[in-house]
Amino acid sequence: MSSTETKVVFWGVRGSTPTPHPSSWRYGGNTPCVEVKTSPDTRFILDCGTGLRLLGNRWEEKSTEHGIDAHILVTHYHWDHIQGIPFFHPFYQSRNRFHFYSFQSKYLGPESLRKVLEAQVASPYFPVNLSMMTAAREFREISGGDQFEVNGTRVTARWLNHPQGCLGYRLDTPGGSIVYAPDNEPGVPEFDENLRQLAAGADVLICDAQFSPEQLATSRKGWGHSSWFECVKLARQAKAQNLFLFHHDPDSSDKMVDGYLLAAREEFKPSWAAMEGMTISLNEKGVDVALRDSRVGQRRRLRFSATISGIGEDGKSFEEKATVRDMSLHGAYLALTNRPALQSDVRVIIEASAADNHPSLLSLRGTVVYTEPATEKYKTGVGVLFVEDEDRTRD
Ligand SMILES: [Zn+2]
Ligand SMILES: [Zn+2]
C-alpha cells in the first residue's frame, strides 16, 4: 500500500436484513458495512451492519499491542446499519479506541448513537454486559452539511431522503474520493441536489440500488430506496468515475443482481455490483477493483484443454483454446445403484483427458443433498454438493 493509496473493502452489501441463503451467497448476505483505510493508521468504518462482525475478526487476526484507532460513520439507526455492533470483538478490548459519528435522531434525542449502542447490549437483549465493552468510545454528533478532517481525509455529510433520516458521506482521501449513499429514495428535489453535490466527480460512488426501476415506480414507491437506473442517472449527472450498486434487496437473488448490473453497464460502463469481500484500491493511477477468492474452498487442480468464448474489455467477442489449470465445482447429479444417506460424505473421482494425453484425476469430496428414484431403471438419483477437501489431485 503506497502512502497515498486508499483501500475500500465491502464486508456487508445487503439491505434490510441478512440473507444467509444459497441464492444470495455470491454477492453476500451481510448487511451494510464498508471499511475504508486511508493510511496504515487511519481507518474508517461506514455503517455497522452484520458485516461488521467479519471485519472485527479480520482485525483481530492482525491486531497489534498498540490497538486499533478507528472512525465509525453511521448513516442512520435502522437495524441493518447497527446490528453488527454487539458482535464486533474489537469493542471488547481496552487497547482499542473508536470515534463514532452520527446524527441526533428526533426519536432518541442527544447522544443518539450512544443510546443505540447501549440499548443493543441492555438486558434482556444481549448476554454480555456493557461494562465488558472496554474499548475507548467517543461520540460526535454531526448533521447534514457538516465537514471535518481526519488525518488528511475530509469527511462531508449530507441529508438523504429516507424514513427517519439518513446521512450520506463523502470521504476525500489522499487516494481519491468515496461517496457512500446506502439508503436514499430519489424524487425530492432538495435531497436529490444534496446527493448530486455529494457525488460530484467522485472516484467511487456507492449507491442504493435496492429495487428494480419497475418496483421503484410501483409497489416499492415511498419505501426509502432507489434502483440501478437512478444510480446510473446520478453517476452521469455527478460525473462520477465508478458506480457501485449497493444495499441489494433481501429478495434479490444473485441472478437478479447480475441482471441489474448488466443493465447498469449498458448505460454506464464503469458500474459494479458491490459484493462481500470486494476490494477497491484508489490511488493516483485510478481505481482498481478485485473480488475475494470465493472459489478457493472448492478449487481442484487439474489440466485439460477447453474452448473459451466471451467478451473482451474492448467490447468485442473472442474465442480461444486454453488450458484449464484448476476448477471450482459446486455439485453434480449422479445415477447410482447404491443409495447413500442424506448428508453423508461421498467421493467422486473423474478422469479428465489431459492436453498431453496423461490422464488427470479429479477427486472430489461431496455431501449428499438429495436422493430420488432416477429415471434409469434401478438407479437412484443423487444430488451431491462438493465441499472443501484437501487437494488430492496431481497435475
Ligand atoms: Zn438500510
Ligand atoms: Zn434504512
Side-chain angles (χ1 to χ4, degrees):
M1 196 167 159
S2 74
S3 59
T4 56
E5 182 164 89
T6 291
K7 271 213 161 179
V8 179
V9 184
F10 289 101
W11 294 96
V13 300
R14 186 70 50 178
S16 309
T17 190
T19 61
H21 188 270
S23 69
S24 58
W25 75 270
R26 197 153 42 80
Y27 287 98
N30 280 297
T31 65
C33 179
V34 179
E35 176 190 10
V36 178
K37 199 170 174 184
T38 59
S39 78
D41 308 313
T42 312
R43 314 184 218 209
F44 295 87
I45 298 172
L46 308 176
D47 275 332
C48 298
T50 60
L52 183 67
R53 183 179 65 85
L54 305 175
L55 170 59
N57 295 350
R58 169 55 66 89
W59 279 3
E60 253 193 343
E61 271 172 31
K62 300 187 160 185
S63 82
T64 63
E65 62 203 51
H66 304 303
I68 298 159
D69 191 300
H71 300 265
I72 301 181
L73 307 171
V74 174
T75 57
H76 64 306
Y77 306 110
H78 287 162
W79 286 119
D80 51 326
H81 298 258
I82 58 166
Q83 224 161 5
I85 289 174
F87 305 98
F88 186 61
H89 287 163
F91 285 156
Y92 298 87
Q93 290 155 348
S94 57
R95 62 175 183 270
N96 300 331
R97 170 173 287 274
F98 295 97
H99 315 265
F100 292 86
Y101 307 80
S102 194
F103 64 90
Q104 183 179 133
S105 157
K106 71 174 179 187
Y107 302 93
L108 297 165
E111 306 217 297
S112 291
L113 186 52
R114 181 197 295 275
K115 287 176 184 161
V116 163
L117 186 147
E118 291 176 2
Q120 279 192 313
V121 295
S123 295
Y125 301 115
F126 197 64
V128 178
N129 192 284
L130 180 69
S131 64
M132 303 294 283
M133 266 198 191
T134 51
R137 301 187 294 276
E138 261 172 33
F139 293 86
R140 177 167 166 184
E141 219 155 70
I142 53 171
S143 185
D146 282 3
Q147 216 168 53
F148 54 95
E149 189 105 2
V150 178
N151 299 345
T153 289
R154 195 172 68 243
V155 179
T156 309
R158 293 277 178 142
W159 290 116
L160 304 179
N161 183 34
H162 194 60
Q164 294 110 27
C166 179
L167 285 177
Y169 293 108
R170 178 185 178 109
L171 277 70
D172 284 290
T173 78
S177 51
I178 299 147
V179 171
Y180 180 65
D183 295 52
N184 175 66
E185 179 159 352
V188 179
E190 177 199 342
F191 293 107
D192 289 353
E193 183 54 28
N194 273 354
L195 186 49
R196 261 196 302 276
Q197 287 181 13
L198 200 67
D203 294 305
V204 167
L205 171 59
I206 302 167
C207 187
D208 180 345
Q210 178 147 353
F211 300 135
S212 68
E214 296 73 30
Q215 284 175 317
L216 184 61
T218 56
S219 60
R220 299 291 186 264
K221 197 173 165 55
W223 287 36
H225 295 290
S226 189
S227 73
W228 65 263
F229 185 62
E230 292 294 332
C231 293
V232 161
K233 266 179 22 193
L234 170 68
R236 281 209 200 112
Q237 285 171 353
K239 296 192 166 43
Q241 302 299 308
N242 295 276
L243 169 65
F244 292 80
L245 307 178
F246 188 73
H247 206 276
H248 309 307
D249 190 80
D251 290 326
S252 287
S253 64
D254 288 332
K255 217 171 150 189
M256 288 165 75
V257 178
D258 287 345
Y260 297 157
L261 175 59
L262 204 67
R265 279 190 169 164
E266 275 177 21
E267 305 282 333
F268 188 75
K269 199 161 174 260
S271 295
W272 313 84
M275 184 178 253
E276 253 176 57
M278 180 187 262
T279 303
I280 310 168
S281 307
L282 296 92
N283 57 36
E284 64 286 353
K285 288 189 218 129
V287 165
D288 192 42
V289 182
L291 301 185
R292 81 176 154 194
D293 211 345
S294 54
R295 57 187 204 94
V296 168
Q298 315 281 50
R299 191 166 61 192
R300 307 295 188 284
R301 276 188 294 149
L302 83 168
R303 271 169 187 271
F304 63 90
S305 321
T307 305
I308 318 293
S309 55
I311 294 168
E313 282 187 332
D314 56 5
K316 293 187 184 136
S317 51
F318 70 86
E319 182 177 300
E320 65 171 277
K321 282 237 181 282
T323 303
V324 176
R325 290 162 188 275
D326 69 50
M327 250 182 132
S328 316
L329 297 164
H330 282 290
Y333 183 80
L334 319 166
L336 300 182
T337 46
N338 292 290
R339 189 186 184 92
L342 207 62
Q343 293 190 309
S344 67
D345 258 23
V346 291
R347 183 158 293 282
V348 179
I349 296 175
I350 299 167
E351 198 173 305
S353 47
D356 53 5
N357 288 332
H358 287 294
S360 185
L361 288 184
L362 179 60
S363 174
L364 303 162
R365 181 183 157 230
T367 181
V368 177
V369 291
Y370 179 69
T371 60
E372 65 162 5
T375 46
E376 287 171 59
K377 233 179 169 184
Y378 308 123
K379 298 220 168 178
T380 303
V382 179
V384 169
L385 183 71
F386 294 129
V387 295
E388 293 76 6
D389 193 10
E390 55 186 300
D391 199 336
R392 288 161 166 249
T393 317
R394 295 163 297 276
D395 269 359

